């Protein structure tokens, strides 16, 4: 690169000074941070590769948004409060405008979330963004995939399938204002951190839906040695998605788009039947939609009923790399 990596770091990725628990930040070989007393750290990494995790034409702002959201979503799935991130970025060229837009959006989100950028790595190559995110868990409380119990109710936040339709719109250059929300969902997923943290009071099993509901719930079921019966018609479909099925699918619901595609970044969690009303109270308070979509069963299968009460199968698996 014509400009040195150090010029780029100094200009665009200077360390945050928004948190007092960051003891040493920027320029040394490592950052030094102080975890709070009586807490554990939840640590996660996700990489976004151009052309794989986002269409190459995605804007710098949207890439900044999505790369943070997917990592915060992993922290949400554990119930962790995001605190620190590092950023490893690989750039094909030094594009000042791109870097300016990316870094401004990146820092705006970090400030909104009260998260500090504490380090990273800057290299030259095909565009790729890797974020390492660290969050706090208090008093040994977390939500884990292995904690679903027979009889638990299965919930999902928000709506599913929008990002899958958004991707179709981008790939097929569909220009329909009624579908623009789907493209926003693809580019700007919203991690459910606030809701997840309050769920911790009575929920100990959650996963974020990144590879499609069936694939991700499948991880919960195998880790918890149980099955589930889902009523797909209980999944909330956004207005945009309903418009898509009406106008582009001859008014037929394509369930595989809703449960077997990726990029939703909603939270799927299970709670005891006695806590169901607490879920709705919480969601109500936070203005977030939640839907009870089924139940955990002893029978180790994942059974899905459609809107006519008929069992559906033959969904494509969720998104798998290397396949
Ligand atoms: P080293 O060679 O010791 O690994 P680097 O030259 O990679 O150090 O980075 C120098 C400093 O700049 C380090 O403190 C590193 O954390 C920070 N840094 C590098 N790239 C980024 C980035 N993209 N965002 C934030 N900090 C970065
Ligand atoms: Mg380095």
């Amino acid at each position: 690169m014509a400009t040195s990596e150090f010029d780029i770091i100094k200009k665009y990725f200077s360390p945050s000074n928004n948190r007092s628990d960051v003891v040493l930040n920027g320029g040394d070989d490592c950052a030094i941070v102080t975890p709070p007393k009586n807490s554990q750290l939840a640590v996660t990494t996700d990489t976004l590769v151009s052309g794989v995790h986002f269409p190459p034409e995605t804007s710098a702002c949207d890439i900044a948004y999505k790369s943070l959201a997917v990592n915060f979503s992993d922290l949400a799935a554990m119930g962790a409060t995001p605190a620190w991130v590092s950023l490893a970025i690989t750039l094909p060229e030094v594009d000042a405008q791109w870097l300016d837009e990316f870094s401004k959006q990146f820092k705006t989100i970090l400030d909104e979330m009260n998260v500090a950028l504490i380090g990273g790595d800057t290299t030259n190559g095909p565009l790729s963004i890797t974020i390492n995110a660290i969050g706090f868990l208090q008093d040994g409380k977390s939500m884990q995939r292995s904690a679903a119990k027979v009889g638990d109710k299965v919930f999902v936040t928000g709506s599913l399938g929008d990002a899958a339709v958004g991707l179709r719109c981008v790939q097929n250059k569909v220009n329909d204002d009624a579908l623009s929300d789907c493209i926003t969902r693809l580019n700007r997923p919203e991690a459910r951190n606030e809701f997840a943290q309050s769920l911790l009071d009575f929920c100990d099993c959650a996963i974020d839906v990144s590879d499609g509901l069936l694939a991700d719930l499948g991880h919960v079921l195998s880790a918890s040695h149980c099955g589930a019966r889902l009523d797909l018609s209980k999944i909330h479909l956004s207005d945009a998605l309903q418009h898509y099925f009406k106008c582009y699918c001859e008014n037929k619901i394509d369930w595989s788009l809703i449960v077997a595609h990726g990029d939703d970044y909603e939270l799927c969690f299970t709670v005891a039947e006695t806590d169901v009303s607490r879920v709705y109270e919480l969601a109500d308070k936070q203005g977030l939609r939640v839907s009870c979509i089924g139940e955990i069963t002893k029978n180790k299968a994942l059974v899905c009923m459609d809107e006519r009460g008929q069992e559906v199968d033959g969904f494509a698996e969720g998104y798998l790399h290397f396949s």
Side-chain angles (χ1 to χ4, degrees):
M1 290 192 221
T3 318
S4 88
E5 70 182 270
F6 298 108
D7 297 333
I8 298 171
I9 297 164
K10 195 165 155 211
K11 184 150 185 210
Y12 302 104
F13 302 117
S14 58
S16 316
N17 55 8
N18 55 351
R19 290 184 66 105
S20 58
D21 53 9
V22 181
V23 179
L24 181 65
N25 198 1
D28 217 317
D29 294 303
C30 293
I32 301 178
V33 289
T34 314
K37 286 214 169 66
N38 303 320
S39 70
Q40 280 95 45
L41 301 181
V43 183
T44 185
T45 297
D46 258 329
T47 295
L48 264 59
V49 176
S50 178
V52 179
H53 300 93
F54 55 85
E57 60 268 41
T58 308
S59 74
C61 286
D62 286 345
I63 296 169
Y65 201 102
K66 187 166 187 174
S67 59
L68 282 170
V70 303
N71 280 279
F72 290 156
S73 181
D74 279 329
L75 292 180
M78 308 300 289
T81 310
W84 311 310
V85 295
S86 65
L87 165 68
I89 189 163
T90 304
L91 300 163
E93 61 189 335
V94 181
D95 177 339
Q97 194 189 337
W98 191 97
L99 277 161
D100 196 52
E101 287 170 14
F102 177 90
S103 60
K104 278 191 179 135
Q105 179 68 75
F106 198 85
K107 291 202 164 152
T108 300
I109 298 167
L110 292 186
D111 283 338
E112 280 167 9
M113 299 279 296
N114 188 30
V115 170
L117 175 62
I118 58 169
D121 202 19
T122 304
T123 52
N124 184 204
L127 181 62
S128 146
I129 290 101
T130 297
I131 289 173
N132 181 242
I134 302 172
F136 302 153
L137 290 166
Q138 298 295 336
D139 307 320
K141 273 203 268 183
S142 63
M143 299 187 287
Q144 299 183 13
R145 298 175 179 194
S146 57
K149 287 175 210 69
V150 174
D152 278 0
K153 296 292 178 189
V154 180
F155 278 84
V156 71
T157 58
S159 63
L160 301 178
D162 303 83
V165 168
L167 182 61
R168 285 201 173 174
C169 290
V170 173
Q171 286 174 336
N172 300 322
K173 306 210 169 4
V174 177
N175 221 331
D176 181 345
D177 281 347
L179 295 176
S180 66
D181 284 354
C182 294
I183 298 174
T184 305
R185 278 289 298 271
L186 173 72
N187 292 331
R188 299 196 165 212
E190 281 190 38
R192 303 303 186 187
N193 295 87
E194 189 190 351
F195 183 70
Q197 283 156 48
S198 38
L199 262 187
L200 271 178
D201 283 341
F202 56 92
C203 170
D204 44 22
C205 177
I207 191 166
D208 69 319
V209 181
S210 54
D211 295 330
L213 176 70
L214 297 189
D216 290 314
L217 179 59
H219 297 314
V220 168
L221 301 181
S222 40
S224 300
H225 309 290
C226 52
R229 191 183 166 84
L230 300 184
D231 181 352
L232 298 185
S233 67
K234 297 280 166 59
I235 297 172
H236 176 64
L237 307 185
S238 70
D239 291 344
L241 202 64
Q242 293 185 42
H243 168 82
Y244 178 78
F245 292 138
K246 193 164 164 219
C247 300
Y248 298 83
C249 303
E250 295 164 353
N251 214 9
K252 265 184 62 190
I253 298 177
D254 178 352
W255 288 109
S256 91
L257 268 182
I258 298 163
V259 299
H261 283 252
D263 274 344
D264 297 300
Y265 298 101
E266 295 292 353
L267 210 59
C268 177
F269 56 97
T270 78
V271 298
E273 191 163 9
T274 46
D275 287 321
V276 163
S277 59
R278 298 179 75 177
V279 174
Y280 289 118
E281 271 165 37
L282 255 188
D284 224 34
K285 222 160 68 189
Q286 296 186 14
L288 179 67
R289 182 188 296 273
V290 291
S291 310
C292 181
I293 59 169
E295 191 174 302
I296 298 293
T297 57
K298 197 170 166 197
N299 167 23
K300 286 185 189 164
L302 177 48
V303 178
C304 295
M305 315 303 284
D306 69 8
E307 71 278 23
R308 291 161 302 173
Q310 278 168 354
E311 193 174 328
V312 257
D313 55 16
F315 291 119
E317 287 281 320
Y319 189 85
L320 292 174
H321 292 274
F322 303 112
S323 63

